[in-house]
């Protein structure tokens, strides 16, 4: 039974402890993500951004604490219920994580094959629509090796959108992209959020993207093993009382001048 609260935030993380093989990497992590928000998880290398992401999307279970989606606790749900909840979540992995032996259409069709009763023709039609949404109309038959890095990210996003998720997670979406391609991907994220009303959680250390499209951020710190700042990055860069936050966000003055296209 769906016990989600219609008034609850999209994501509610409370007292989360994350780690591997008994080694605690993050502790007492708590924050909320509002519905329809573009929310960034930021911080330097090794601070636990990717670890937190893996625990949020169910790839790893926390050793303590809870993750709730729309008021419903994920880590205490049954396996069957977790599977149902994951249908509402899309993930764009770093690099796109496409199957090299499948063309773009076949890659986008994969979650439709696993999670829906649609027949082959219906899956193909829906997959074409998703590729069109991300600006890849006409590239259905191309293989990942035949397209650019930015296009692979877009194809990975099309696959993440296949099941019409309410929350989409992005793992370093701008990694390896040139500034123009990165900016276009930022604009695509904003446009899809506005069009589809989805909630976006972005793991990134890229200042240009952070200042261009983030509504709010949480910043992780390796030494503290947790959150050292939360809020609007445009405010935190000058007003944070923590010098680590000001230094991280103040690395590039020009990045703060970047604005998303209307």
């Amino acid at each position: 039974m769906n016990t989600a609260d219609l008034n609850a935030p999209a994501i509610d993380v409370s007292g989360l402890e994350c780690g591997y093989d008994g080694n605690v990497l993050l502790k007492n992590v708590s924050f909320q993500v509002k519905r329809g928000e573009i929310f960034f998880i930021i911080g330097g290398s090794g601070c636990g951004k990717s670890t937190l992401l893996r625990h949020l999307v169910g790839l790893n279970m926390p050793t303590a604490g809870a993750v709730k989606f729309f008021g419903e606790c994920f880590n205490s749900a049954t396996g069957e219920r977790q599977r149902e909840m994951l249908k509402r979540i899309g993930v764009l992995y770093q690099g796109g994580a496409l199957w090299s032996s499948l063309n773009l259409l076949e890659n986008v069709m994969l979650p439709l094959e696993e999670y829906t009763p649609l027949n082959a023709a219906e899956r193909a039609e829906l997959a074409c629509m998703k590729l069109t949404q991300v600006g890849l109309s006409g590239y259905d038959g191309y293989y990942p090796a035949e397209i650019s890095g930015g296009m692979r990210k877009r194809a990975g996003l099309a696959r993440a959108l296949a099941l019409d998720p309410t929350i989409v997670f992005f793992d370093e979406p701008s990694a390896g992209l040139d500034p123009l391609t990165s900016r276009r991907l930022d604009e695509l994220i904003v446009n899809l959020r506005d069009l589809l009303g989805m909630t976006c959680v972005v793991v990134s250390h890229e200042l240009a993207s952070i200042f261009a499209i983030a509504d709010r951020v949480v910043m992780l710190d390796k030494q503290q093993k947790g959150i050292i700042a939360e809020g609007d990055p445009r405010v935190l860069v000058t007003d944070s009382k923590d010098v680590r936050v000001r230094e991280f966000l103040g690395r590039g003055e020009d990045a703060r001048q970047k604005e998303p296209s209307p």
Side-chain angles (χ1 to χ4, degrees):
M1 182 178 65
N2 187 349
T3 59
D5 182 350
L6 295 177
N7 297 313
I11 305 172
D12 187 355
V13 178
S14 57
L16 206 66
E17 182 178 285
C18 308
Y20 307 104
D21 301 322
N23 182 28
V24 176
L25 300 179
L26 294 169
K27 57 186 179 181
N28 197 30
V29 172
S30 300
F31 61 88
Q32 293 184 341
V33 181
K34 302 173 185 176
R35 299 178 188 224
E37 191 170 35
I38 298 179
F39 185 91
F40 272 60
I41 299 170
I42 68 173
S45 298
C47 70
K49 299 188 299 294
S50 294
T51 294
L52 179 56
L53 176 66
R54 290 180 63 86
H55 285 74
L56 292 179
V57 302
L59 292 176
N60 296 99
M61 296 304 289
T63 52
V67 177
K68 294 181 180 180
F69 298 118
F70 302 101
E72 184 176 4
C73 187
F74 178 80
N75 43 303
S76 66
T78 65
E80 181 179 352
R81 182 59 195 149
Q82 285 184 345
R83 180 178 170 85
E84 290 299 312
M85 294 170 72
L86 288 174
K87 290 182 183 179
R88 302 184 67 187
I89 296 172
V91 184
L92 173 59
Y93 295 100
Q94 192 173 151
L98 301 172
W99 290 94
S100 60
S101 60
L102 302 178
N103 62 34
L104 300 192
L105 184 69
E106 292 166 336
N107 266 284
V108 178
M109 287 172 62
L110 282 175
L112 298 171
E113 293 174 10
E114 182 175 357
Y115 288 103
T116 75
L118 299 175
N119 62 40
E122 291 169 333
R123 292 196 301 267
E125 181 180 4
L126 186 53
C128 282
M129 290 174 56
K130 297 304 177 182
L131 286 168
T132 298
Q133 276 186 332
V134 300
L136 290 177
S137 177
Y139 286 89
D140 314 15
Y142 281 68
Y143 286 83
E146 298 175 324
I147 59 177
S148 68
M151 293 171 75
R152 285 194 291 273
K153 292 286 181 77
R154 287 173 176 260
L157 180 54
R159 186 178 60 190
L161 296 174
L163 298 175
D164 295 323
T166 50
I167 302 172
V168 179
F169 292 89
F170 300 80
D171 185 12
E172 297 284 3
S174 298
L177 301 182
D178 63 82
L180 179 58
T181 302
S182 176
R183 181 188 177 99
R184 288 174 175 167
L185 184 58
D186 288 343
E187 292 169 350
L188 177 61
I189 292 172
V190 173
N191 291 339
L192 288 172
R193 187 276 305 268
D194 294 344
L195 177 66
L196 304 176
M198 63 190 191
T199 301
C200 302
V201 178
V202 185
V203 170
S204 180
H205 66 277
E206 300 286 347
L207 288 181
S209 295
I210 293 167
F211 284 107
I213 67 172
D215 293 317
R216 285 190 306 127
V217 305
V218 288
M219 181 172 169
L220 304 180
D221 179 72
K222 183 177 182 179
Q223 280 68 44
Q224 190 155 319
K225 296 185 177 182
I227 295 172
I228 59 171
E230 178 177 352
D232 185 333
R234 303 156 197 85
V235 175
L236 291 173
V237 68
T238 56
D239 293 358
S240 175
K241 296 180 180 179
D242 194 317
V243 65
R244 294 168 295 181
V245 179
R246 297 196 306 273
E247 287 180 348
F248 179 87
L249 290 173
R251 287 172 295 148
E253 292 294 327
D254 293 340
R256 297 201 300 278
Q257 305 304 317
K258 178 183 175 186
E259 296 292 339
S261 296

